[in-house]
Amino acid sequence: MTTASETDRAEEFERHRPRMFGLAYRMLGSAEEAQDTVQDAYLRFRATEPGSLTHPGAWLAKAVTRLCLNRLTSARVRRERYVGPWLPEPVLTADGALGPLDSAQSRDSVSCALLVLLERLTPTERAVYVLREAFAYGYRDIGAVLGLEEAHCRQLYRRAAGRIAEPAPRFEPSQEVRRELVEAFVTASREGDLATLERLLAADVTWWSDGGGRVSAARRPVDGREKVLRFLVGVGERYLTGARFTVAEVNGAPGLVARLGDTVVASVSFEVRDGRVAVARAVMNPEKLGFLTGQLAAA
């Protein structure tokens, strides 16, 4: 029988779950592993003495971060053996699955582009960067989470920021502009309108595909408008005949979702420059699309 105390603790944990899932996802780049990590944290939370935690949210953040650090060591080995480019698992974010994304900075913190860059960091650098950038932790608090000196955390943050720095775009397009472009891309894809697709792609566009060896996908980035168009035609004919294309908020920005029946077969995130698609990242590995499929089924 569930006691009142256990019910209270479960309710307390549920209040923190979205934030903890958002933390674990940013650390791991995997929705499935983030779910498992949060569940492990819950089991540890439930095992603590009732009333012993003055700040449950801080305790959980520490527990989740350390569990993620343990997972990242083995994840790094798996990704070194990964077939083709590795991309993070896509997550629908309009419903707050990764916490509130009410600013450009918070949306950027879950973008596919940033999560790919975070792979350059050591696990500890990644933890410092995520806690600082996405959760606004002070260096003293980060040190308490990781068991490090405050000064060391400052050094790790500077190193991490330097390792993932890329030139900032001169003008960042609004969400409305992004959505209009993605909607136009989806319509053109649905209708097989190659002329419109060509106009929507930058001349130096790069298309990344993550098939993970589970489906046939380009194992290297495809560069240039003409090559990308040929690639899209080939993929469409082989794998996406009869698919439904829709626009959804994926990782904080408008993206393309392709479904065959009730199953998601591709999710594409876009980087926009000067009104055209500059970079596209397509996840086609079915093992990485289960979480998103479940989100759509529950919607």
Side-chain angles (χ1 to χ4, degrees), residues 123-191:
T124 305
E125 287 172 346
R126 185 164 183 159
V128 170
Y129 189 87
V130 168
L131 289 170
R132 180 69 177 167
E133 286 291 311
F135 294 90
Y137 271 46
Y139 293 111
R140 181 179 299 177
D141 294 329
I142 296 173
V145 169
L146 299 175
L148 300 172
E149 295 293 330
E150 182 177 345
H152 189 194
C153 291
R154 289 180 182 274
Q155 287 181 327
L156 287 170
Y157 174 78
R158 285 197 296 269
R159 187 187 309 163
R163 292 182 67 183
I164 66 174
E166 287 196 336
R170 186 176 177 186
F171 299 108
E172 188 70 25
S174 67
Q175 288 290 88
E176 291 74 18
V177 169
R178 289 171 182 262
R179 187 171 189 89
E180 288 174 4
L181 187 145
V182 175
E183 287 176 344
F185 190 95
V186 166
T187 299
S189 299
R190 188 184 294 135
E191 298 174 355

Side-chain angles (χ1 to χ4, degrees), residues 108-119 129 164:
D108 287 345
S109 75
V110 295
S111 69
C112 184
L114 179 62
L115 292 171
V116 169
L117 289 175
L118 290 180
E119 291 293 300
Y129 189 87
I164 66 174

Side-chain angles (χ1 to χ4, degrees), residues 110-276:
V110 295
S111 69
C112 184
L114 179 62
L115 292 171
V116 169
L117 289 175
L118 290 180
E119 291 293 300
R120 300 177 182 178
L121 307 181
T122 67
T124 305
E125 287 172 346
R126 185 164 183 159
V128 170
Y129 189 87
V130 168
L131 289 170
R132 180 69 177 167
E133 286 291 311
F135 294 90
Y137 271 46
Y139 293 111
R140 181 179 299 177
D141 294 329
I142 296 173
V145 169
L146 299 175
L148 300 172
E149 295 293 330
E150 182 177 345
H152 189 194
C153 291
R154 289 180 182 274
Q155 287 181 327
L156 287 170
Y157 174 78
R158 285 197 296 269
R159 187 187 309 163
R163 292 182 67 183
I164 66 174
E166 287 196 336
R170 186 176 177 186
F171 299 108
E172 188 70 25
S174 67
Q175 288 290 88
E176 291 74 18
V177 169
R178 289 171 182 262
R179 187 171 189 89
E180 288 174 4
L181 187 145
V182 175
E183 287 176 344
F185 190 95
V186 166
T187 299
S189 299
R190 188 184 294 135
E191 298 174 355
D193 184 350
L194 295 181
T196 296
L197 284 175
E198 184 175 9
R199 287 197 299 272
L200 295 174
L201 298 174
D204 58 349
V205 62
T206 300
W207 189 283
W208 296 81
S209 300
D210 180 342
R214 305 295 179 182
V215 298
S216 181
R219 298 193 179 186
R220 291 184 176 84
V222 181
D223 293 317
R225 182 187 290 145
E226 291 184 5
K227 290 182 180 179
V228 168
L229 280 172
R230 288 199 299 271
F231 172 76
L232 292 178
V233 169
V235 169
E237 291 176 347
R238 278 181 289 175
Y239 303 110
L240 300 178
T241 300
R244 291 180 293 131
F245 299 95
T246 56
V247 179
E249 185 182 298
V250 179
N251 288 69
L256 178 155
V257 175
R259 281 179 279 184
L260 285 171
D262 295 327
T263 302
V264 177
V265 292
S267 173
V268 186
S269 298
F270 299 91
E271 287 184 43
V272 178
R273 184 178 66 239
D274 298 330
R276 288 183 170 83

Side-chain angles (χ1 to χ4, degrees), residues 54-76:
T54 306
H55 301 291
W59 186 94
L60 284 167
K62 182 174 183 178
V64 168
T65 300
R66 296 205 168 182
L67 286 167
C68 287
L69 288 173
N70 292 338
R71 284 179 175 268
L72 280 172
T73 302
S74 58
R76 185 173 294 267

